[in-house]
Amino acid sequence: MRLGYVLRRFIFLIFVMWTAATVLFTIPRLSRVNPIRERFAALARSTGYAPKDLENIIASYELKFGLDKPLPQQYADYMGSVLRGDLGVSLMSYPKPVAELIGEALPWTIGLLLVTISLTFLIGTAIGALAGWPRSPRWVKGTVTPLMVLAAIPAYTLGLLLVYLLGFRLKLLPMGGAYSPGMVKALTMPFALDVVKHAILPALSLILAYVGFYALGMRGMGVTVQGEDYVNFAEHKGLRQGRIFYWYYVRNAILPQVTSLALALGGIVSAGILVEGLYGFPGIGSTLSAAITANDYFVIYGVGFITIFAVGISMMAVDLLYPLLDPRIRYDRK
Amino acid sequence: MKGKLTRREMLRLSTVIGAGTLVTACAGAATPAPAPTTAPEPTKAPEATQAEATTAPEATTAPEATTAPEAATGAEVPRNRTLVLNHGGTGGKYTWVGQINPVGGMNHQEGGALLWDPLFYYSVFADKDIPWLAESGTYNDDYTELTIKLRAGAEWSDGVPFTSKDVVWTLEAYKANEKIDYHQQVLDFVDSVSAPDDQTVVIKFTGAQPRFKFEILSFKFDTGICPLPAHFFEDKKIEATKINEEPGGEDMPHTGMFNVKMTPEQLVYDLRPDWWGFKTGFQKEPDIKRVIFIPLSDMATAAQRVVNNEADACLDLRPTLIRTAVQQNPKITTHTGKDEPLGYIDWWPNSLWMNTASEPYSDKDVRWAINYTIDRDTIDKVVFLGAKITSVFPYPEYPALKKYLDQARPLADKLGVSKFSLEESAKLMEKAGFSKDGEGFWVKDGARVNATIDGFESIHADIVPVLVEMLRNGGFEAAINFGNDAYQNMADGKPGLYMFGHGASVIDPYATMELYHSRYSAPLGTTAGGNHFSRYKNPEFDQIVDDMRAVPPGDPKLNDLFMKAIEIYWTDMIDVPVIQWLHRIPYNQTYWTNWPTQDNPYLNGAYWHWTFPLLVMGLKAAQ
Amino acid sequence: MELAIPTTAKGPSQRTLVLRYLRRNKSLVLGLALLAFLLIFSLGGSLVVDTAKLAYPLAAVPLQPPSAEYPLGTDKDGRDLLAVMIRGIQLTGAIGIIAGTLGIVIGIVLGLLSGYFGGVFDSVVRWMTEVLLTIPPLILLIIIAGTIVDKNKVTVLTMALVVSILSWVGPTRVVRAQVLTMKERTFVNVAKLSGMGNIEIIFKELMPNMLPFLVASFVGQVMGAIGASFGLEVLGLGAVREPTIGMTIRWAQFHSAMFNQWWWWILWPVLALIAIFASLSLINVGLDEIANPRVRRTE
């Protein structure tokens, strides 16, 4: 039964990702904006200069990118090449391949988001668990309320305030970018420290904005778990408090946290886009915003597909965990 | 139950993720970085010879310069020999890494200009031609032929001599490749190119072309072409029709005085001591040994970096921003020192353009009515904090153009071009058959005038909201469109007004008037790219423009022709001229002095223009 | 599942009980109080201040710090920030409420039907929600708002409609999951055995039990919609001429209000945004305590 379900779920996932990809492919094409003309428009407003024979140049580029073909054909061509692992070339940064563009941005985002998400999760869960534990000191329980207020502020707004205070005013941390001018990009300690220093503010904006979310969730679950028979049983058995806290209370309450972690991925990725833009962080979010402004189809698709893939896989993982969490739910057919 | 196992796995997974993060971050940073392996550091040698570079006590300088030592940790060039610019990039990254082919993916605005030498430069504020790879360029008497003498000893970065063969090959390639800029002009204007000897090129034109040398062969602003390395393309067997697809790579042979090391996060240009210009004694080595570009995200951040002395200059700032920057750091000055307007005039004066081929903008009374709603004094006061930036000209107020504009000013006053009067506006609208509806908007046949202004937020966010309210006060239903369909709307000639510039005339009035020639009046339903949005049609006007074309710049015959043309431009109000375009660039004098200013106007300070190498030559080390 | 809203109890007066309950549920009280303040400020304010004029450019002397004439100051384009805040809270709230309502209504219908009946319909709904959940929300919204929405005509209503493209997904999932859990519970089985029809079970047994979840989900969607529209607005994809909170922050940021030390331009909208989100999230936590009474024990 299990294996059959996993297989069904996997096929479903592929189907879902394919639909999502199709939706993504179609939407930008509903716009009547011509990205190549926009490219020259951008050129014209940054340079004041507009080529005299613009329309000819546009036409020959459309031919080159296959944008003159009917849309279904373009769809088939493009999906085919994606399956072959070719994401095409960027229209704006022609002749740069999309895969290269993403390859340059992705490590930064993965680095930032992995650190952020894991720290948020660990800190939030720890605070939540302690806050929900009846024997915790009062001030520990009190931390939840300020965290809740923080959670009410969008990460972007937090970032705005943080960069102003710590960057502009106090000059404690860099205001943006990836590393200091003149730094040589290499696997050296000074470089690594410099990168970390530049990542603190963007990471902090996200962590502060989301930590309350996990703390609240964990506290809620923790309180629920306390009422469960096995915890009462453990208490009556006279087990040590620390042991109960960890083995019976945290271990049981943490599972739904994992679920909500995966479900929040999309949200954090979204917030990451805004925060990256705010700090000029060279990640995938900045790449996407720039691509959308420029209607750079193939970059939009490339970034979109990669996020869909990442989110889709994590969602499937969650879905497979779901029946384990609540045995009352059964997916198998009767 | 299996649940327990899964839980344990999940926990382990989360710790693994945590640890993996650092690895990913470092690995990600490391993989695309061949930097440490590349040995040649051409800057080292000359630096050692320069005594003041090593003795300059870096630590004794201004206390704000905290970033200098840190930035220098990985580099051999000290901060006081480095020019740091906060400029460009897309999404926080430079996207043309490894592509220095000037007809390919190179971006000359992000320092690419340092890699390529033109035949000639033109400095607009000095109003001066500066022959570079060429020694001279002379037209024959009727401007049908141009003879170029090349400088002896010029060579490509790979040591191959630069000769007339390269120039001939380049022009032929421009004729053959339809995907590159200037293809059409070169194809239309150039009949044949020949190379009588290694240092001489003769270009025969299809007719009189008194502006070819200036328009095509000179680098100024963002325009002009440079010779390409014929041997590079020939060795790689790349046909002329494919040269735009060649990335080039960082070591593509170039003539410019810099080499580049690129990462998406940063561009580092290092001076080549073996540049032909130094070897032949044509130029002296500049103080700048290295130029670093870091990507721009937020203008306030850029301004703050210049204030902090982290960057020496950045992209031009909005009026309020540059005011604050200049106040916050005594070392920051501008083209006009510390005085308003804190900048200089760019060649892109902005108008409200209209599609003059479609209703209701086809009625010149409507266009004049729109003009009358614009209160230019208020714009100067509100948007530009008192500086006189509004304009009645589609021309930049440049030295070479001044005499023409001065001559036309009385005419503008007589016609009332700069007059603000809602009554006059209303009179014209009534004359055009409009009446006001219940909400106070002009209507005719049940339709309001669509006065939505298409524009670009990054550059128009100051002025357009103000224009919108002025138009609404005058009864035009105005709104803002900063969407990414704005340019498309302009090109398609959609209803509405288009905020856009004229990147045209610089040395004589011809180029701007040529924008309104009937040959660009695309029929409705087709696109009109470039800045040919007006779709204006007037045979009388065309004749004047055609006559101007054959007259070389500086010829007195141009004066009368210009007066005739501008009179038509104003009486027909082809577009509504609004403002001069200003570049407000902060120059930080902490490390670099002798920036171009109005008292020392050797150049315009836009380092993102092709003329950047002239700025590099001009800047002097402060320490 | 037992619901502990003590409104039907006898003994001490109903008012006393509600008050007693509210004293324990501090989050809800605080949230409601904050919400009441926002409502009074924005709805009452528009009776006093001519927001139709003053909240738009060229209505006041630009860049005035707070003073007697302009209590909250003015921005660079000459908007009176008091009027901007009054109107902004209304508009921002409107986006949230429109999108939240649409979301919850669609969510209830789809969630109930798919959760209860299962089958092909369930598969289709699941497929649609999965597709939309797989694309990170902001990415989808940015692409929609950035490419196909006619920028000339972006109004507050358009913004609301754009963000409601996603606001039904959450409620649908919540309702469906609840129905799935409850379906297996005893009280539904009892109802089935007692001969209740499907529709009757849905409306008489499932819906009342889900009410707290629904209200919480609605509040959540309002927050989500405001958050999403805020995201679009700071990226420049909002209703350009309208003084929503998000657009105000965007203009302040765009004109570098902080660098130029025009603190009042950025402070008020940030405070308003925090107040809006804080009130909604406090209400949500309070509702959660009602829906999930065990949580109450710690406070």
Side-chain angles (χ1 to χ4, degrees):
Chain A
M1 175 290 277
R2 264 293 177 256
L3 192 69
Y5 175 70
V6 171
L7 206 65
R8 268 212 316 277
R9 188 66 188 79
F10 187 68
I11 292 168
F12 185 65
L13 172 74
I14 289 179
F15 189 52
V16 161
M17 292 202 302
W18 171 69
T19 323
T22 307
V23 169
L24 218 54
F25 180 90
T26 319
I27 296 172
R29 295 308 184 87
L30 300 177
S31 141
R32 60 186 183 86
V33 173
N34 181 326
I36 297 166
R37 187 172 291 110
E38 285 306 308
R39 184 191 175 189
F40 285 100
L43 195 76
R45 57 180 184 269
S46 65
T47 67
Y49 170 76
K52 297 274 178 210
D53 48 342
L54 184 59
E55 293 306 315
N56 289 338
I57 298 182
I58 291 172
S60 57
Y61 270 108
E62 282 194 325
L63 199 69
K64 161 135 197 79
F65 294 126
L67 297 178
D68 56 329
K69 291 186 201 154
L71 200 56
Q73 163 120 43
Q74 287 186 45
Y75 174 75
D77 290 353
Y78 181 70
M79 287 300 183
S81 73
V82 168
L83 284 182
R84 275 178 270 116
D86 178 10
L87 292 174
V89 289
S90 161
L91 300 178
M92 288 310 114
S93 314
Y94 176 80
K96 185 105 170 167
V98 173
E100 223 171 87
L101 212 57
I102 293 178
E104 286 164 358
L106 202 55
W108 293 104
T109 297
I110 291 180
L112 178 68
L113 286 189
L114 273 189
V115 172
T116 308
I117 293 171
S118 37
L119 280 182
T120 310
F121 181 77
L122 293 177
I123 299 173
T125 306
I127 294 179
L130 288 170
W133 187 238
R135 285 157 200 85
S136 294
R138 235 190 138 65
W139 65 267
V140 173
K141 289 183 191 161
T143 50
V144 172
T145 316
L147 283 182
M148 216 160 68
V149 176
L150 273 181
I153 311 174
Y156 179 89
T157 315
L158 270 177
L160 217 59
L161 299 174
L162 285 175
V163 75
Y164 180 65
L165 286 177
L166 301 177
F168 280 75
R169 289 283 81 155
L170 301 175
K171 299 188 169 64
L172 289 176
L173 289 164
M175 293 165 290
Y179 50 88
S180 304
M183 267 287 169
V184 175
K185 194 170 169 181
L187 201 53
T188 58
M189 206 51 193
F191 179 76
L193 287 178
D194 194 54
V195 167
V196 168
K197 208 168 122 190
H198 280 76
I200 290 177
L201 278 182
L204 203 59
S205 320
L206 289 168
I207 292 174
L208 287 181
Y210 281 91
V211 93
F213 172 75
Y214 290 109
L216 276 182
M218 184 65 188
R219 192 192 61 158
M221 273 323 294
V223 171
T224 314
V225 168
Q226 280 165 43
E228 297 289 346
D229 296 338
Y230 51 84
V231 177
N232 290 333
F233 177 66
E235 287 189 9
H236 290 299
K237 228 166 72 174
L239 291 179
R240 272 191 306 116
Q241 284 301 325
R243 200 176 153 82
I244 299 176
F245 178 73
Y246 184 68
W247 286 102
Y248 290 79
Y249 169 73
V250 172
R251 295 291 305 270
N252 279 298
I254 207 166
L255 270 166
Q257 281 290 97
V258 177
T259 315
S260 62
L261 169 68
L263 281 177
L265 272 184
I268 298 185
V269 170
S270 297
I273 294 176
L274 297 179
V275 169
E276 278 188 9
L278 178 65
Y279 288 97
F281 193 78
I284 205 100
S286 311
T287 306
L288 180 71
S289 316
I292 285 174
T293 321
N295 270 47
D296 194 341
Y297 299 142
F298 301 118
V299 176
I300 299 178
Y301 298 159
V303 176
F305 291 177
I306 284 190
T307 14
I308 289 173
F309 185 74
V311 176
I313 295 283
S314 8
M315 300 245 309
M316 184 176 87
V318 173
D319 221 53
L320 293 179
L321 282 173
Y322 217 77
L324 300 178
L325 302 181
D326 191 343
R328 282 170 296 203
I329 296 176
R330 289 199 300 257
Y331 281 134
D332 52 325
R333 303 217 166 91
K334 287 175 196 165
Chain B
M1 215 175 124
K2 282 184 186 154
K4 200 136 202 163
L5 192 87
T6 328
R7 275 177 215 140
R8 187 164 297 152
E9 275 173 358
M10 282 310 301
L11 274 178
R12 192 172 305 143
L13 198 70
S14 65
T15 43
V16 170
I17 289 172
T21 323
L22 257 181
V23 181
T24 335
C26 296
T31 33
T37 56
T38 39
E41 269 311 334
T43 50
K44 261 184 186 162
E47 199 191 302
T49 58
Q50 275 196 325
E52 76 274 21
T54 38
T55 50
E58 209 185 317
T60 59
T61 59
E64 314 92 278
T66 45
T67 51
E70 179 200 320
T73 41
E76 300 84 347
V77 180
R79 175 69 178 90
N80 59 11
R81 289 293 172 275
T82 306
L83 183 71
V84 180
L85 302 167
N86 195 182
H87 188 97
T90 312
K93 290 171 295 292
Y94 296 107
T95 54
W96 52 287
V97 172
Q99 306 184 352
I100 71 161
N101 177 7
V103 292
M106 192 193 74
N107 187 331
H108 76 267
Q109 293 204 326
E110 294 167 356
L114 296 173
L115 305 173
W116 297 91
D117 288 331
L119 292 170
F120 309 90
Y121 281 113
Y122 171 77
S123 163
V124 63
F125 289 140
D127 187 18
K128 204 168 82 182
D129 271 316
I130 302 165
W132 202 254
L133 280 172
E135 216 166 49
S136 67
T138 358
Y139 287 104
N140 64 353
D141 290 343
D142 59 358
Y143 294 93
T144 54
E145 200 178 287
L146 177 67
T147 305
I148 301 168
K149 285 274 174 218
L150 301 180
R151 222 173 271 281
E155 60 182 33
W156 299 98
S157 54
D158 58 359
V160 175
F162 164 76
T163 66
S164 54
K165 180 173 169 275
D166 292 303
V167 181
V168 174
W169 190 91
T170 302
L171 286 171
E172 295 294 347
Y174 269 85
K175 282 177 118 175
N177 190 320
E178 60 181 16
K179 287 203 192 68
I180 51 183
D181 232 359
Y182 294 100
H183 156 74
Q184 201 64 43
Q185 285 111 307
V186 176
L187 189 67
D188 289 350
F189 300 160
V190 175
D191 182 55
S192 68
V193 200
S194 57
D197 63 59
D198 268 6
Q199 311 305 141
T200 313
V201 180
V202 178
I203 305 174
K204 279 195 167 47
F205 300 121
T206 49
Q209 296 299 344
R211 290 172 186 83
F212 190 84
K213 185 179 97 177
F214 171 77
E215 280 179 1
I216 315 279
L217 300 181
S218 298
F219 270 176
K220 69 278 158 196
F221 303 100
D222 297 285
T223 60
I225 67 174
C226 62
L228 303 170
H231 69 283
F232 170 78
F233 289 105
E234 280 171 357
D235 289 353
K236 292 186 88 171
K237 304 226 176 341
I238 298 166
E239 286 170 46
T241 51
K242 299 256 187 218
I243 54 172
N244 61 311
E245 291 169 28
E246 167 60 35
E250 285 179 4
D251 46 6
M252 175 174 177
H254 49 279
T255 46
M257 66 178 100
F258 282 81
N259 281 328
V260 64
K261 293 255 165 34
M262 313 172 90
T263 62
E265 299 83 21
Q266 192 166 294
L267 305 174
V268 180
Y269 296 87
D270 282 329
L271 192 73
R272 287 166 50 202
D274 61 342
W275 181 54
W276 64 267
F278 304 143
K279 286 204 286 199
T280 59
F282 167 55
Q283 294 287 332
K284 262 186 31 211
E285 235 186 80
D287 289 351
I288 291 179
K289 304 301 169 202
R290 173 174 280 185
V291 177
I292 297 179
F293 274 73
I294 51 174
L296 179 87
S297 53
D298 171 62
M299 291 313 297
T301 310
Q304 186 72 51
R305 282 195 179 118
V306 180
V307 169
N308 294 355
N309 304 335
E310 288 169 43
D312 299 303
C314 66
L315 183 65
D316 57 312
L317 301 172
R318 276 186 290 278
T320 49
L321 215 46
I322 191 132
R323 268 195 166 183
T324 312
V326 163
Q327 282 162 9
Q328 289 194 350
N329 186 335
K331 290 276 192 186
I332 295 180
T333 59
T334 68
H335 187 80
T336 49
K338 296 223 172 225
D339 306 321
E340 297 289 341
L342 300 168
Y344 64 83
I345 291 166
D346 187 37
W347 72 319
W348 210 56
N350 270 227
S351 286
L352 285 172
W353 301 66
M354 281 156 281
N355 178 351
T356 62
S358 77
E359 290 276 344
Y361 320 98
S362 49
D363 186 337
K364 76 171 184 184
D365 286 337
V366 173
R367 303 201 289 267
W368 262 95
I370 288 172
N371 183 51
Y372 276 133
T373 66
I374 311 271
D375 179 356
R376 292 179 174 78
D377 289 340
T378 301
I379 293 176
D380 281 333
K381 228 178 328 180
V382 172
V383 183
F384 301 106
L385 310 167
K388 289 287 294 172
I389 306 301
T390 48
S391 173
V392 292
F393 291 106
Y395 289 101
E397 305 238 5
Y398 275 163
L401 292 171
K402 195 171 183 308
K403 63 174 179 204
Y404 300 103
L405 305 188
D406 286 346
Q407 190 189 351
R409 256 177 257 274
L411 179 62
D413 291 342
K414 202 183 95 196
L415 295 172
V417 183
S418 64
K419 191 168 168 190
F420 162 61
S421 164
L422 295 183
E423 297 83 53
E424 299 274 349
S425 176
K427 243 185 262 167
L428 286 175
M429 286 308 278
E430 277 158 13
K431 186 177 153 210
F434 285 84
S435 57
K436 281 201 173 174
D437 65 8
E439 288 179 62
F441 292 117
W442 293 112
V443 277
K444 183 173 161 184
D445 308 328
R448 288 178 178 170
V449 181
N450 183 339
T452 298
I453 301 178
D454 289 302
F456 306 97
E457 187 171 40
S458 55
I459 53 174
H460 289 140
D462 284 303
I463 174 102
V464 167
V466 174
L467 289 174
V468 164
E469 296 308 314
M470 287 178 174
L471 286 161
R472 291 179 83 91
N473 288 340
F476 293 91
E477 194 180 26
I480 300 171
N481 178 30
F482 284 155
N484 58 0
D485 59 347
Y487 187 75
Q488 187 81 36
N489 289 345
M490 299 178 187
D492 288 349
K494 291 272 160 178
L497 309 175
Y498 321 140
M499 190 73 183
F500 208 76
H502 307 69
S505 283
V506 174
I507 50 166
D508 78 279
Y510 165 73
T512 298
M513 286 300 135
E514 201 252 357
L515 295 175
Y516 309 114
H517 195 286
S518 301
R519 80 172 73 99
Y520 300 121
S521 177
L524 289 177
T526 62
T527 47
N531 33 19
H532 302 134
F533 313 127
S534 295
R535 303 180 189 232
Y536 181 69
K537 234 186 200 135
N538 182 346
E540 185 199 345
F541 184 81
D542 295 348
Q543 189 54 52
I544 302 170
V545 172
D546 289 341
D547 291 346
M548 286 171 93
R549 160 109 236 160
V551 183
D555 192 312
K557 266 186 282 178
L558 264 182
N559 295 4
D560 293 344
L561 290 168
F562 163 70
M563 285 304 284
K564 280 191 211 159
I566 193 97
E567 179 161 9
I568 294 176
Y569 168 79
W570 277 328
T571 46
D572 268 9
M573 196 54 69
I574 305 178
D575 54 38
V576 177
V578 183
I579 46 169
Q580 290 284 321
W581 199 253
L582 243 67
H583 275 167
R584 302 173 195 83
I585 310 171
Y587 305 138
N588 189 321
Q589 315 262 359
T590 306
Y591 298 109
W592 297 104
T593 59
N594 199 36
W595 295 87
T597 61
Q598 62 183 2
D599 303 325
N600 180 17
Y602 65 91
L603 197 67
N604 59 342
Y607 55 80
W608 54 90
H609 284 161
W610 279 114
T611 45
F612 188 15
L614 300 180
L615 180 68
V616 167
M617 290 295 186
L619 291 181
K620 299 274 172 274
Q623 307 173 5
Chain C
M1 181 170 179
E2 65 285 294
L3 261 179
I5 305 177
T7 40
T8 51
K10 294 266 165 10
S13 83
Q14 209 161 306
R15 228 189 71 204
T16 331
L17 275 174
V18 170
L19 283 179
R20 196 181 293 165
Y21 172 74
L22 286 180
R23 200 172 335 140
R24 271 187 293 141
N25 195 338
K26 281 188 217 120
S27 309
L28 192 61
V29 176
L30 208 60
L32 288 173
L34 211 49
L35 188 65
F37 169 76
L38 288 170
L39 286 175
I40 293 167
F41 174 78
S42 66
L43 297 179
S46 55
L47 299 177
V48 188
V49 180
D50 175 19
T51 55
K53 177 79 190 153
L54 292 175
Y56 295 87
L58 293 186
V61 188
L63 288 178
Q64 296 301 301
S67 63
E69 197 185 353
Y70 305 112
L72 302 187
T74 62
D75 74 6
K76 191 186 162 297
D77 295 330
R79 299 179 188 90
D80 179 346
L81 285 170
L82 177 64
V84 168
M85 283 302 102
I86 291 169
R87 190 145 177 81
I89 292 171
Q90 290 171 10
L91 295 176
T92 306
I95 294 177
I97 291 168
I98 296 172
T101 312
L102 278 175
I104 201 79
V105 169
I106 300 172
I108 290 174
V109 173
L110 293 184
L112 280 178
L113 294 179
S114 76
Y116 193 80
F117 294 107
V120 181
F121 187 77
D122 182 37
S123 301
V124 173
V125 169
R126 263 186 70 212
W127 170 62
M128 286 189 342
T129 55
E130 291 274 327
V131 168
L132 287 176
L133 278 173
T134 316
I135 310 175
L138 195 63
I139 292 188
L140 185 66
L141 293 181
I142 295 173
I143 293 177
I144 292 173
T147 56
I148 53 174
V149 172
D150 187 348
K151 296 285 296 177
N152 295 348
K153 302 189 178 74
V154 176
T155 59
V156 166
L157 184 65
T158 342
M159 288 301 289
L161 293 180
V162 167
V163 295
S164 46
I165 290 172
L166 289 178
S167 65
W168 60 274
V169 179
T172 306
R173 269 177 81 97
V174 167
V175 172
R176 182 176 167 275
Q178 286 300 320
V179 172
L180 278 182
T181 323
M182 290 182 193
K183 218 165 70 170
E184 310 290 335
R185 295 210 176 157
T186 357
F187 67 95
V188 174
N189 287 331
V190 169
K192 262 187 196 160
L193 289 173
S194 69
M196 267 183 162
N198 282 332
I199 303 293
E200 220 177 335
I201 293 178
I202 288 180
F203 282 98
K204 285 201 172 149
E205 299 292 331
L206 295 184
M207 282 290 273
N209 275 303
M210 283 193 309
L211 199 61
F213 289 100
L214 291 180
V215 178
S217 179
F218 171 72
V219 176
Q221 287 314 311
V222 173
M223 284 172 75
I226 293 178
S229 68
F230 174 71
L232 292 178
E233 284 167 342
V234 297
L235 288 174
L237 298 170
V240 185
R241 198 174 167 268
E242 294 301 336
T244 61
I245 300 296
M247 283 316 293
T248 309
I249 291 182
R250 165 163 175 81
W251 287 123
Q253 169 74 354
F254 192 88
H255 290 286
S256 313
M258 295 204 282
F259 179 76
N260 289 314
Q261 307 192 357
W262 304 321
W263 53 269
W264 58 91
W265 192 357
I266 193 94
L267 182 66
W268 311 128
V270 165
L271 283 182
L273 195 72
I274 293 176
I276 293 174
F277 275 105
S279 81
L280 292 177
S281 85
L282 285 167
I283 291 174
N284 221 355
V285 172
L287 289 171
D288 197 39
E289 287 174 18
I290 298 174
N292 197 359
R294 289 181 192 170
V295 179
R296 258 182 281 142
R297 276 200 219 156
T298 45
E299 310 240 40

